[in-house]
Amino acid sequence: MLAISLFCAAVGVALGTRFKILVLGPAFVLALLSTISFGIAARWGFREVAATLLISLVALQVGYLTGSLVSHFVFRFKRAIVWLPRYHL
């Protein structure tokens, strides 16, 4: 369960740095299908699959938020450096 949630968080960070929020819909569907199929393959019960699904979706959202904030501040910092006045001594 920890590996799945860390993977979802890493995917969320990658999506947050590159794409807009509309990418979360297909990402949720993909996380839903992959978590359910992994739970069936591992012979987990309904509770384990539901808990893993909830944790993975929350990790995906938190990762996306983290990635978008990092992307925003990196872009803001780059833009501030470009527009700094240059003084020649």
Side-chain angles (χ1 to χ4, degrees):
M1 185 170 6
L2 179 66
I4 293 173
S5 63
L6 288 176
F7 179 73
C8 284
V11 168
V13 169
L15 292 176
T17 57
R18 287 297 207 182
F19 299 105
K20 297 199 181 280
I21 197 156
L22 293 177
V23 78
L24 282 179
F28 280 172
V29 171
L30 186 63
L32 174 83
L33 294 176
S34 63
T35 304
I36 289 174
S37 63
F38 184 79
I40 290 172
R43 297 186 187 270
W44 287 350
F46 176 74
R47 285 185 173 175
E48 289 87 7
V49 172
T52 305
L53 181 63
L54 180 69
I55 290 171
S56 65
L57 290 180
V58 168
L60 184 66
Q61 288 181 356
V62 169
Y64 181 84
L65 179 65
T66 304
S68 63
L69 287 175
V70 166
S71 176
H72 171 72
F73 286 118
V74 165
F75 178 71
R76 187 175 180 189
F77 182 68
K78 281 183 181 180
R79 194 175 75 189
I81 288 176
V82 170
W83 293 103
L84 281 177
R86 305 223 166 125
Y87 297 108
H88 299 287
L89 296 175

